[in-house]
Each structure stands twice: as structure tokens, then as C-alpha cells.
Amino acid sequence: MKPILLVHGYSSEGEDNSVSEIYGTLPDDLRSEFGAGTILTLNLSRWLSLNDGVRLDDVSYAMDRALHSPQYRDLLLSGFHVVIHSTGALVVRNWIRMFSPRPSPIENVVHLAGANFGSGLAHIGKAQLVRWARYLGTGSQGGRHILDELEFGSWKTLDLHLHFLQPGNNMYEDYQVQEFCMAGSQTTKVLRAAPIRYVKEDSSDNTVRTSAANLNYTRVHIAPTEEARQLSVDELQRLVQERKEDQSVRDSNYSVAVARNHPEVPFSVAYETGHFGEKIGIVSGSRNRKEVMPRLKRALQTPLDDTAYSATREYFQEQHQRTFERVGRLKTSPLGWSKQAQYEGHAQIIFRLKDQYGEGVKQFDITFRTSDRSAKKVSLESLIEDDHKNKKNDGTLTFYLRTQLFIKPVWLDRMSIIAPTRLEIFATETDGQEIAYLPVNLQLSSDFLRDIVKSFQTTIIDVEMLRLPTRKVFEISQS
């Protein structure tokens, strides 16, 4: 077995935490699984996450310098595996984006609850997180920049992942890195009484949503057509006025393109597993080692090969199905916590609205209008349980949808009965009357919605909203 590098997550690194406090039993568990003499070296990284002056790029750059030091330069020459927890996923993926050659010296990356598409805890307030950090004895600062990059819809984080959709940057084919994702969907009893939804959300491990941990994601790009770019100011103003009067704008002036990562990354939800905790923590929980370690071992032993990668993908899916079969048999007290609801699949939809110059749209609304209200269909808007507007990046709104229901003994995919809907996006320039945005009005079929919105996954919808000036903004007249 080639060397393994462990990379921890946000807030694991405190002022004077020991390695055992950061990684728990995971190093010993790995040695036990593979045999102490089988792993060439087990390398335990430490990085600062609670320092307000440190950014994600700083951490990835520091990682690169550490790898090039004389003591660890052999890792770059021989190749190595990485096991990450939580925010460590962003550190490693960003290192690959910024510094890795093609192919990469990293061979297999195993994500244990990787916070790839954010964490709700980044939103509850930096001051409160600082108080928690002091209480837990992990430091006195909150890590402001790291929290910004962990917030739902962070442009920095979205662009990091979209880098690997660009030609020549495919993680598997170009960097030749195999990734594997595993997450829990359980929270500890003590957190159920907390007045913070993100520590007890369904389809979440008390810190990271399963859909945020899964690297199988879809990107939808909505852009104005060439005909729309030639619209006159009068035509645009007519469309804007129709929308202000709450009329359904019938003109279709935008095109849609869909892309997704390939090949599919092995993904699995582990039974009775949370983000942290002595009993159910994904890194070192005492009760779930039989859930986590076999999958971790299988991932690390998968050679770079299409057939082997596909076989491990099937294995992860089998274990995923096994988790939900076990959960389906659990009994819940009428007055107790719904154990099945805790596991019901959810999806994230992240809207990112920019104008044609790349600037975020400040004032906007997004509306889903479903006309089919029959009992046999469900509307997309009825699935939404939470929404979050990114505090740092304009034009960014994340929806959280319950896409699965447990109706004993079946886990019903609600997207299978989704009704077609109309997507309407309207934006205004608040600082004057001389600029108008071309409204988005798209009819989305049931098949299209099923294709882009899936349980346990994230959908990024990038919208380029056409911003047009009136004649007064620039005029030419003959003398």
C-alpha cells in the first residue's frame, strides 16, 4: 500500500490539540485494516482553520510547500493516497487545481463527509462559532475566510469544482485521480434540542448535508440567445413591465445547457454515522467502524482502472442500499424522532445569477410556477424546506429540497412524480432607472427536472442575465 496522507477538517486544529485529538482512532484503524507493515507511511497533516487571516488558497499553497520539503518530497515521486475529513476536501481539491501536474501524484482520495458544497454551520454567525471554539478549547478565532468558502453558494468553492468540468481538467481522465465519497445521515441526541436547524437537518450528519458531500453534481448554464442580445430597449421594457404586472412572460429568450462530472464518483451513506462524536463520528466513532472501515479499505485498494473503479462504485451503491434497508426496519415511537425522516434523501439547487460582465445580480427573485396540481404529481416548490442567500456573493441562492419520502416499506423518489414547472427569474437595478435585466422565463419538463435534480446530489444553475441600458446611457447625435 502506497503512503496515505490524512487531512482534517475545519476546527479540528486547535491551539494545542494533539494528533490523537484531531484524528482519533483513524490512524490505528488504518494500520489494523492493512497491517502495520503494509502501509509504507501514514502521514498526519495539520493546517490552520481557525485563524481569521488564513484563506483556502493559503492552505493549499502551504500544503504544496510541505510536499516539496526534503522530508516528504518522495510522496510526489512515488505517488500517495489521501483520506480527508470535512473541509479537508476543499484543501486537497484546491491543491490539485492549483499545483498538481497531470497525471497527479495523488492516486485515490477518500472523502469522509467532505464539505464539498458547503456547510450550514458556516451561516450561524462567526461570533457564535468563536464562542463554541473557546468552549471546546480549539482556539479563539473563527477562521473568517475559511467560513466564507464554506458558506452555501460560495463562488470560490463553486468555481473550484467547475474547474474539473473544463476540457483538459477532468479529475479522472486528465489528473488520473480516483475519488470516493462517504457520509453519514445521523445526528447526536444532544443536538436535537438545539435551536439551529443545521445541526439536526434531515439527510445531514449534523454538519454537512449528504448532497453537499457528494461529488456527483450537475451544472446547468442558462444564457441569453443571440436574438435576445439584439433586443431593442423598447422590447425589453415591455417584457419588464409585463413581469412587474405579474404577467407570465411568454418570450423564451434564454438557452439551456447541461454538464456533469464524469465518470460517476462512488458515493455511499453510512448507517448510524454522524460528522463527529465518540460513538457515531465518521472519523473515529466506536459503533460504526464496521460501516466505515470496509468501504475506506476498498476505496484505497482500488487500482486506477475503469473496470476496478466501476466495481467499487457498485460496491458503494450496494452498501448505500443496505443502509436504507436497515433504516427502513427501524421502529420509531410516535413521540420520538423520526429515524426514517432523518435519512430521507434531499437535493441542493444553487442558483448563481451574473450579468454578462460577470458581476453578481443584487436584487432578484426566483419563482417556480407549477400549474399541474393533481394528486398524482408533486410541485417542485412544495419540496423546498430551506433557502439561503449567500452573504458574501451577490446573486446566489441555495434551495434545499426533500426529494425522497419513506412510505413503509418503500423509499419513494418524489422526483419520479414531479410536475412540469415554469422557472421565472426577475432582477432589478436598484440604483437607477436606466438599466433593465431581461427576465428569464423557461418551461421545465418533468423529464428535464428528473435529469438535473437527484437525491443526495447538488445542482448548480449558473444564469447569465442580460443587462441592457436605455438610450440615455450613451447617445450619438449629428452636429
Side-chain angles (χ1 to χ4, degrees), residues 192 332-338:
R192 294 176 186 173
T332 301
S333 166
L335 300 177
W337 188 269
S338 175

Side-chain angles (χ1 to χ4, degrees), residues 2 63 75 84 108 128 133 151 208 274 287 319 390 439 458:
K2 287 194 173 183
M63 174 181 171
L75 293 177
I84 64 90
N108 291 331
Q128 187 170 354
E151 185 177 355
V208 175
R287 293 201 315 225
Q319 297 304 306
N390 190 281
T458 290

Side-chain angles (χ1 to χ4, degrees), residues 205-258:
D205 67 357
N206 68 38
T207 300
V208 175
R209 295 167 172 173
T210 55
S211 52
N214 191 350
L215 281 171
N216 296 300
Y217 60 95
T218 299
R219 194 247 187 166
V220 179
H221 187 216
I222 299 175
T225 63
E226 288 305 313
E227 292 77 11
R229 297 181 192 276
Q230 305 305 317
L231 280 174
S232 70
V233 173
D234 291 339
E235 289 174 303
L236 174 59
Q237 292 294 350
R238 176 182 61 81
L239 293 172
V240 170
Q241 187 59 38
E242 287 180 0
R243 182 62 183 81
K244 285 182 177 179
E245 295 172 357
D246 203 30
Q247 298 181 36
S248 182
V249 179
R250 297 294 177 184
D251 304 73
S252 182
N253 296 298
Y254 286 85
S255 62
V256 181
V258 178

Side-chain angles (χ1 to χ4, degrees), residues 219-224 254-257 351 423 425 440 442 444 461-465:
R219 194 247 187 166
V220 179
H221 187 216
I222 299 175
Y254 286 85
S255 62
V256 181
F351 280 89
L423 170 64
I425 305 176
V440 174
L442 292 170
L444 307 180
I461 302 183
D462 273 324
V463 184
E464 179 189 329
M465 296 203 70

Side-chain angles (χ1 to χ4, degrees), residues 135-298:
Y135 174 75
L136 295 171
T138 56
S140 59
Q141 292 184 313
R144 178 170 57 90
H145 289 298
I146 300 296
L147 288 176
D148 285 343
E149 286 150 347
L150 277 174
E151 185 177 355
F152 291 141
S154 162
W155 285 22
K156 175 80 174 181
T157 301
L158 294 180
D159 289 338
L160 163 62
H161 297 309
L162 293 178
H163 165 82
F164 297 105
L165 290 186
Q166 298 171 2
N169 295 333
N170 184 278
M171 184 69 84
Y172 182 79
E173 295 172 359
D174 298 305
Y175 288 99
Q176 297 185 18
V177 175
Q178 296 184 139
E179 294 184 285
F180 309 82
C181 295
M182 189 191 327
S185 188
Q186 191 57 266
T187 186
T188 57
K189 292 181 180 179
V190 69
L191 293 176
R192 294 176 186 173
I196 304 170
R197 69 164 288 123
Y198 298 114
V199 301
K200 55 183 178 181
E201 260 189 333
D202 290 344
S203 200
S204 171
D205 67 357
N206 68 38
T207 300
V208 175
R209 295 167 172 173
T210 55
S211 52
N214 191 350
L215 281 171
N216 296 300
Y217 60 95
T218 299
R219 194 247 187 166
V220 179
H221 187 216
I222 299 175
T225 63
E226 288 305 313
E227 292 77 11
R229 297 181 192 276
Q230 305 305 317
L231 280 174
S232 70
V233 173
D234 291 339
E235 289 174 303
L236 174 59
Q237 292 294 350
R238 176 182 61 81
L239 293 172
V240 170
Q241 187 59 38
E242 287 180 0
R243 182 62 183 81
K244 285 182 177 179
E245 295 172 357
D246 203 30
Q247 298 181 36
S248 182
V249 179
R250 297 294 177 184
D251 304 73
S252 182
N253 296 298
Y254 286 85
S255 62
V256 181
V258 178
R260 51 177 51 92
N261 63 311
H262 179 79
E264 183 181 349
V265 175
F267 170 78
S268 186
V269 171
Y271 180 74
E272 284 289 313
T273 294
H275 202 77
F276 54 78
E278 293 182 359
K279 294 182 179 179
I280 65 170
I282 195 166
V283 171
S284 58
S286 59
R287 293 201 315 225
N288 61 358
R289 290 305 85 193
K290 291 182 179 179
E291 293 295 313
V292 174
M293 294 311 299
R295 280 173 248 199
L296 178 54
K297 182 178 181 180
R298 174 67 180 262

